[in-house]
Amino acid sequence: MKFNKQARIVFPMVLSVSILSTGLIAPIPKAAAADTGATQAQGQWLTGEFHAHTIESDDAQSSLESVLDHGLTTYGLDFIMLADHLRSSKRDDTGADIPGGPIPLSKGLLQYQVPKIKALQDAGKYAGKTIFSGFEWDIPSHEHGSVGILTDEPGSEAALKAANQFEYLFTNRDAAWFNPADVLQWEAADDRAYSTHTDSLTAINWLKRNYPETSYMIVNHPSRGVGKYKISDFRDCRSGHRVWLRGHARQSNGAGPRRL
């Protein structure tokens, strides 16, 4: 499924999010389209989730196929944006230990998650559904955020390479876990930044600079870490890129997450 580079993805105020985008299209019955005046050129609402963990996150216990079955088949979502922790991963998509020990999550997406997704869809599962491999980032000095780098197609080589580069630049993973040639190229262009609030803004601006129309960052459960945020932090993030605040359930007054 290709993306229109001019499409802008908007996450409205519900826990299982919906997307309105001219670039992410699902078929509309002709009668419904006539009733609403909707056309594919105008886009439509789709329902999905952007914060789903699989067993490739060391603290999760659900296999990739189980997560996709529940979300896309049992509950009928149109899309799932997977968001495993951008940390070391010791298990593959089924929960089996990775030979040789833990690897960076971005490498796990390349070796296990995305090939499994493509194999399942090639076999006829999840027809008409869209699946992204994003990740949940430990935002420097703050809490968690769901990040997606989509490029023009979910699971593309370019998207996976971008996730690998983001993990190197904006986490404290050991440089030895990455391709030395890539490291030389990345360090020639950018400094690593993974400790401070300023570093978090550096990462957000990196997304804005490199993937202005095909990336997002959503701040997850901001109330969970007391003292992790000031309102000025969110203003700083907003000035950098499209950033959404995902409200904590116990704080919700019907508004839910909102765009800052």
Side-chain angles (χ1 to χ4, degrees):
M1 184 178 292
K2 297 285 185 179
F3 284 84
N4 180 340
K5 290 185 179 180
Q6 301 305 315
R8 293 184 180 274
I9 299 177
V10 180
F11 294 84
M13 304 172 182
V14 286
L15 185 59
S16 285
V17 258
S18 298
I19 285 187
L20 179 60
S21 168
T22 58
L24 194 57
I25 301 298
I28 306 178
K30 290 183 179 179
D35 291 341
T36 63
T39 67
Q40 286 198 346
Q42 294 171 328
Q44 68 188 83
W45 292 103
L46 301 177
T47 302
E49 176 55 65
F50 61 85
H51 188 186
H53 293 311
T54 76
I55 207 160
E56 286 194 64
S57 287
D58 288 345
D59 60 349
Q61 300 301 322
S62 298
S63 70
L64 170 64
E65 192 167 3
S66 173
V67 170
L68 297 179
D69 283 347
H70 277 80
L72 300 174
T73 303
T74 304
Y75 296 105
L77 299 180
D78 297 305
F79 69 89
I80 283 184
M81 299 183 183
L82 300 168
D84 288 305
H85 293 299
L86 194 66
R87 304 170 186 163
S88 63
S89 183
K90 64 184 179 184
R91 300 175 297 196
D92 66 14
D93 62 279
T94 68
D97 287 344
I98 293 173
I103 58 177
L105 175 72
S106 58
K107 190 173 181 180
L109 303 183
L110 174 65
Q111 293 185 350
Y112 302 106
Q113 189 173 100
V114 170
K116 181 64 168 287
I117 291 168
K118 290 182 176 180
L120 290 168
Q121 291 188 301
D122 287 346
K125 295 196 74 170
Y126 320 124
K129 308 292 186 176
T130 300
I131 307 166
F132 303 94
S133 286
F135 48 85
E136 187 173 46
W137 173 43
D138 294 307
I139 305 172
S141 80
H142 299 302
E143 253 284 346
H144 298 163
S146 291
V147 176
I149 304 173
L150 311 181
T151 66
D152 295 325
E153 184 178 0
S156 69
E157 182 178 347
L160 294 172
K161 194 67 170 182
N164 191 230
Q165 184 176 1
F166 186 98
E167 184 167 19
Y168 175 75
L169 290 173
F170 305 117
T171 77
N172 63 355
R173 298 299 89 77
D174 191 324
W177 280 13
F178 298 83
N179 183 304
D182 289 337
V183 168
L184 285 174
Q185 180 180 352
W186 297 338
E187 289 191 343
D190 298 286
D191 294 327
R192 300 189 74 183
Y194 48 76
S195 302
T196 67
H197 173 65
T198 299
D199 291 341
S200 71
L201 301 181
T202 298
I204 290 168
N205 280 300
W206 184 88
L207 291 172
K208 179 181 180 181
R209 185 172 69 252
N210 292 285
Y211 304 95
E213 301 296 334
T214 53
S215 67
Y216 64 86
M217 194 279 273
I218 304 171
V219 178
N220 295 337
H221 44 70
S223 68
R224 191 172 75 174
V226 176
K228 287 285 188 177
Y229 292 104
K230 304 185 296 293
I231 191 62
S232 60
D233 296 330
F234 296 122
R235 294 193 186 105
D236 290 344
C237 290
R238 184 177 181 274
S239 68
H241 194 38
R242 294 191 303 276
V243 177
W244 288 263
L245 174 64
R246 182 185 186 183
H248 196 288
R250 69 169 178 266
Q251 287 192 322
S252 176
N253 58 2
R258 62 185 178 86
R259 187 173 178 179
L260 295 176

